[in-house]
Amino acid sequence: MKKYLIVIDQGTTSSRVVLIDSKTKIIDQDFIEIKRKDNNNSEVLTDANEILFSVNDLLKRLFQRNNLDPKLVSSISITNQRETTVLWSAKTGKPISDAISWQSKHTNYITDKWIELGYTELVFDKTGLLINPYFSASKIKHLLINNNSDINNIKFGTVDSFLIYNLSVEKNHYTDISNASRTMLFNINNKEYDDELLELFNIPKSILPKVLSNDSLYGHYQYKDTLIPIIGVAGDQQSALFGHLCTEVGESKVTYGTGCFILTNTGDKPKYSNNGLLTTIAWDLDNKTTYAMEGSVFMGGSAVGWMKDKLNLVNHANESEAMAYESNNDNVFVVPAFVGLGAPYWDNEVQGSILGLEANTSKLDIMKATLNSIAYQVADILNLMKNDTKIDIKSIAVDGGASNNNYLMQFQSDLINVNLIQNVESEITSLGVAFMAGLKLGLWKSIEEIKNLQKIKKIFVPIVDQSKTNKLYRKWRKAVEVTRMFKEEKQ
Ligand code: ADP
């Protein structure tokens, strides 16, 4: 009986490997930091070789330090930062340029043109995405424009695909459907690359990886004389949704990190938003496709970081919890629009504000208002999702640094009147693809069986009267409105 599953979690700032046993318990993990390449302009680049070397090193280290018999490893799964774009040589597998990070916006000269040409609606209908440099398409285009390699020798892939190509003995040029659906080239309705978009963008189909369902066999990784199947591949946010076992319609997850990422399972049909949220394929398992709606908050935990670094309100972000509990002021509002506001406001010009200050307002109150602002912004997105999908949000699984803040979680639960569930395990993203692989390989028979193996740390249940929180929420919307007016008057 094979006992272990390995997951590679290739992220923006680090590569990580995780070793999981058949009880879904994480028994070892290791990571190597990945440097962002310094550069004089606005490009955010990473050396793709560094990504590959780090993963190779981590895998070897994991086998060695656990004295792990490769014959006992049932699979290697991959979850990864999404949209980051690599082009490599078909002959050598070596990158022909740096990887362009999802964070890089310097290809907006291309996306601006596509918007000008009127492609917005077409792209949204086909891909569920808004034309934006964030997605892979314009990054591919930029690399093709600036590279004179023979097109027949070029392969494109997101990080999953680049790793599969280089780690599999078969040198398979594959990607999974959740990563493909973030390229802005993939039609999420018929689940194929879209020929019309490829033609409009002038991107050759021949360089694109073949798209497989998440639980397909992607190839084999060789360790010593053992071939280990690569099974279970998904983009990080989708993998986290599955890791939280949000497999039913209306189940959501919120990651409270630097920003907040919110995904809701919308079932077997794509649901579209009228307010700038994205529609994406969550996964394709057992020949069944599940879709999700996705939204994000720009300033999440980083709003607390700003209060720490710029106003020195705390030495560590976790001190904010006790401060918030000590304050009994509900009249201060922080609108953390440090980099504008996303959905539903979509306002790039608005700047941040603190409202409702009085003679006796203290730093405790400002900190509480900062935490509240994270919850209000997440509520803004969840309310949009509810309206746009007509799906009731049943429960919310939470993770990320700021999800450890009990005050914030309780306030969030009260505000949206939904239970919030915290798992004991923090590496939820890795668990997602491991679950996909384990289910496929029969290590676990069902989602139910996995559910029974999971340990819940805490469930936050709404306790405050809804009329009180509704009043507060209305005041938040007013605070945003007033803040946006200030910008308009300034101009
Ligand atoms: P990322 O993965 O995006 O780098 P993390 O999930 O590690 O981020 O979360 C870090 C962010 O969460 C930081 O911006 C930090 O300010 C905030 N944070 C961490 N712990 C807490 C806490 N206990 N309360 C509030 N905010 C927190």
Side-chain angles (χ1 to χ4, degrees):
M1 158 87 176
K2 304 243 175 163
K3 282 200 177 115
Y4 302 105
L5 302 101
I6 292 176
V7 176
I8 298 164
D9 177 0
Q10 206 302 306
T12 314
T13 54
S14 68
S15 298
R16 184 173 288 273
V17 285
V18 175
L19 185 63
I20 299 168
D21 71 11
S22 57
K23 299 274 181 243
T24 74
K25 199 165 170 295
I26 292 180
I27 47 176
D28 191 26
Q29 54 179 307
D30 191 6
F31 72 98
I32 293 176
E33 276 181 19
I34 299 290
K35 286 189 290 299
R36 173 179 157 163
K37 279 188 90 168
D38 275 334
N39 170 315
N40 290 332
N41 35 39
S42 61
E43 299 174 16
V44 186
L45 305 174
T46 311
D47 179 355
N49 279 314
E50 193 182 331
I51 291 179
L52 179 61
F53 296 156
S54 69
V55 170
N56 265 319
D57 282 357
L58 285 164
L59 286 172
K60 292 200 176 86
R61 260 160 47 177
L62 193 75
F63 278 106
Q64 282 158 12
R65 66 193 220 167
N66 289 285
N67 211 359
L68 189 60
D69 177 355
K71 294 198 169 47
L72 294 181
V73 177
S74 60
S75 57
I76 296 182
S77 306
I78 301 174
T79 181
N80 57 292
Q81 53 172 317
R82 305 173 304 169
E83 297 101 9
T84 295
T85 297
V86 193
L87 293 192
W88 65 90
S89 153
K91 283 193 200 110
T92 63
K94 291 213 163 60
I96 57 174
S97 65
D98 288 325
I100 303 184
S101 165
W102 58 273
Q103 297 162 309
S104 198
K105 293 192 176 145
H106 72 284
T107 57
N108 60 355
Y109 72 97
I110 298 173
T111 47
D112 285 351
K113 201 166 137 216
W114 290 342
I115 293 168
E116 231 178 86
L117 286 165
Y119 299 162
T120 303
E121 208 172 312
L122 186 77
V123 168
F124 185 61
D125 288 349
K126 286 169 180 280
T127 67
L129 307 175
L130 297 167
I131 296 181
N132 196 292
Y134 182 81
F135 305 109
S136 313
S138 67
K139 301 181 200 292
I140 301 174
K141 186 80 200 155
H142 174 82
L143 288 175
L144 290 178
I145 293 169
N146 291 289
N147 227 291
N148 44 19
S149 309
D150 171 14
I151 196 77
N152 296 316
N153 184 38
I154 291 181
K155 300 233 178 260
F156 149 76
T158 39
V159 171
D160 57 309
S161 182
F162 174 63
L163 290 176
I164 292 163
Y165 192 86
N166 282 287
L167 295 179
S168 65
V169 288
E170 299 92 344
K171 296 246 160 287
N172 285 329
H173 188 206
Y174 295 161
T175 189
D176 91 276
I177 196 159
S178 69
N179 273 294
S181 68
R182 315 293 297 186
T183 57
M184 224 174 80
L185 302 172
F186 192 73
N187 188 320
I188 60 170
N189 299 292
N190 66 11
K191 294 179 270 172
E192 284 175 7
Y193 290 117
D194 193 88
D195 289 329
E196 189 182 357
L197 291 182
L198 288 173
E199 201 177 314
L200 290 176
F201 300 159
N202 194 14
I203 293 176
K205 204 173 190 173
S206 60
I207 67 169
L208 306 179
K210 185 174 167 189
V211 182
L212 305 187
S213 57
N214 304 76
D215 56 357
S216 299
L217 175 64
Y218 285 79
H220 294 85
Y221 173 79
Q222 181 163 13
Y223 185 74
K224 298 200 169 148
D225 56 358
T226 305
L227 290 175
I228 305 170
I230 302 172
I231 300 179
V233 179
D236 52 9
Q237 298 305 319
Q238 284 94 334
S239 183
L241 191 67
F242 201 78
H244 279 298
L245 298 171
C246 295
T247 52
E248 301 285 327
V249 176
E251 291 181 336
S252 306
K253 73 100 194 168
V254 181
T255 301
Y256 294 85
T258 308
C260 300
F261 277 98
I262 302 136
L263 265 80
T264 296
N265 181 329
T266 59
D268 59 3
K269 302 236 161 29
K271 299 259 182 195
Y272 293 93
S273 162
N274 304 318
N275 295 289
L277 301 182
L278 306 174
T279 303
T280 199
I281 291 179
W283 49 74
D284 193 290
L285 297 167
D286 237 355
N287 297 318
K288 222 182 110 222
T289 307
T290 299
Y291 292 85
M293 188 167 274
E294 175 171 329
S296 59
V297 166
F298 303 152
M299 294 295 283
S302 54
V304 177
W306 191 88
M307 294 293 164
K308 171 170 87 63
D309 298 334
K310 303 289 183 191
L311 297 190
N312 297 322
L313 292 194
V314 284
N315 291 320
H316 189 280
N318 63 14
E319 294 161 28
S320 60
E321 178 182 307
M323 290 173 79
Y325 278 127
E326 238 183 282
S327 157
N328 43 33
N329 184 332
D330 281 330
N331 293 317
V332 179
F333 282 78
V334 168
V335 180
F338 300 103
V339 290
L341 288 172
Y345 315 104
W346 294 112
D347 189 338
N348 287 328
E349 311 299 325
V350 58
Q351 297 154 315
S353 69
I354 305 178
L355 301 171
L357 302 179
E358 290 177 286
N360 62 354
T361 302
S362 73
K363 63 178 182 178
L364 303 179
D365 307 329
I366 294 177
M367 192 43 104
K368 178 178 171 182
T370 304
L371 292 172
N372 290 353
S373 77
I374 302 173
Y376 288 129
Q377 293 179 91
V378 169
D380 283 340
I381 302 271
L382 288 167
N383 285 334
L384 279 189
M385 282 185 179
K386 269 196 276 189
N387 287 336
D388 288 339
T389 61
K390 308 279 176 275
I391 289 173
D392 218 25
I393 302 213
K394 284 191 197 140
S395 64
I396 298 180
V398 299
D399 62 71
S403 74
N404 295 313
N405 190 307
N406 290 309
Y407 168 80
L408 172 60
M409 293 300 103
Q410 187 58 53
F411 184 69
Q412 184 78 81
S413 169
D414 289 333
L415 192 62
I416 53 177
N417 201 21
V418 172
N419 287 0
L420 256 54
I421 303 163
Q422 239 177 13
N423 195 301
V424 170
E425 195 49 71
S426 58
E427 292 305 318
I428 297 291
T429 308
S430 294
L431 289 183
V433 281
F435 292 165
M436 291 175 184
L439 284 167
K440 175 77 175 202
L441 294 167
L443 235 70
W444 306 297
K445 297 278 169 294
S446 64
I447 297 282
E448 269 318 299
E449 184 181 346
I450 299 176
K451 254 185 200 153
N452 291 333
L453 293 168
Q454 296 305 289
K455 288 200 175 63
I456 288 172
K457 186 167 149 199
K458 201 162 176 180
I459 301 183
F460 294 87
V461 179
I463 46 174
V464 172
D465 183 21
Q466 278 301 292
S467 63
K468 185 182 171 214
T469 50
N470 287 343
K471 210 165 135 201
L472 285 174
Y473 184 66
R474 279 198 296 277
K475 226 171 153 192
W476 155 256
R477 296 298 289 237
K478 197 164 166 191
V480 175
E481 209 178 300
V482 168
T483 305
R484 294 181 69 191
M485 270 165 61
F486 179 73
K487 164 210 73 175
E488 280 157 21
E489 283 177 14
K490 192 186 111 196
Q491 284 170 342

